[in-house]
Amino acid sequence: MTTPFTKASDIADYLATLLATIKIDDGFNTDIGTTVYRGRRMVDDDMVPCSVIIEGEDKPGDQVSREEIKITQNYVLGGYVRCDPDHPNDAAHKVIKDIKKVVFGDGPRMGNRVRAVSYVGRDIGPRADGVPIVFAVVHIAIEYAEKLSDA
């Protein structure tokens, strides 16, 4: 699949499409693809399982041409799942594994305008003891050529 991404919103839409494929019936460990939120940071208990895309800061780089510039855009891809409140990290590790698989696995690629997709790290969200829901994230950076006239 070739995708001519020219702006961060194109990439975020594509990432939402990838996250939406994360379902147990499709060979994943979780159902965080049931609902994908773009930009939502807090979810209610009855919204779980779900995933979120949070767009971070972008960093402009070298000018590629008169109307194109190299951009490195940071994204946080996260998932909320129910868990054993005594061992929440077990479920969190499944979320992390699923996100890594869908972004870095053998599936579709982001096309020729995306020059690199880098793993930046992961985190398991802090939560109060005894809460049967856990949040885990994978941080990625995507380098692409943004067409400024189409931004």
Side-chain angles (χ1 to χ4, degrees):
M1 171 185 217
T2 301
T3 51
F5 297 134
T6 60
K7 53 190 169 188
S9 60
D10 293 338
I11 295 170
D13 287 345
Y14 182 70
L15 290 171
T17 300
L18 289 180
L19 289 176
T21 67
I22 300 176
K23 298 194 177 92
I24 292 171
D25 288 346
D26 293 327
F28 289 92
N29 298 294
T30 68
D31 281 321
I32 64 170
T34 301
T35 306
V36 179
Y37 296 102
R38 291 182 223 160
R40 187 174 186 113
R41 295 177 187 262
M42 300 290 292
V43 301
D44 296 327
D45 292 357
D46 61 343
M47 300 165 80
V48 174
C50 65
S51 57
V52 297
I53 298 172
I54 300 166
E55 294 184 49
E57 178 182 8
D58 74 359
K59 296 178 178 90
D62 298 332
Q63 197 84 20
V64 176
S65 70
R66 181 176 176 274
E67 62 178 55
E68 288 186 348
I69 188 166
K70 183 171 71 172
I71 299 283
T72 300
Q73 175 73 46
N74 294 313
Y75 295 90
V76 178
L77 309 177
Y80 289 85
V81 292
R82 298 205 177 280
C83 65
D84 176 339
D86 292 328
H87 306 285
N89 287 4
D90 295 346
H93 286 288
K94 290 178 180 180
V95 168
I96 292 166
K97 183 176 181 179
D98 284 350
I99 294 171
K100 286 180 181 178
K101 178 180 176 181
V102 80
V103 173
F104 297 104
D106 292 332
R109 296 292 174 238
M110 294 189 202
N112 60 356
R113 289 188 156 300
V114 173
R115 309 230 163 109
V117 179
S118 303
Y119 174 76
V120 180
R122 59 102 174 150
D123 191 17
I124 297 172
R127 44 177 278 302
D129 282 341
V131 174
I133 294 172
V134 67
F135 177 57
V137 299
V138 172
H139 301 266
I140 64 171
I142 297 180
E143 181 183 304
Y144 68 101
E146 180 176 287
K147 189 173 180 181
L148 295 171
S149 61
D150 190 29

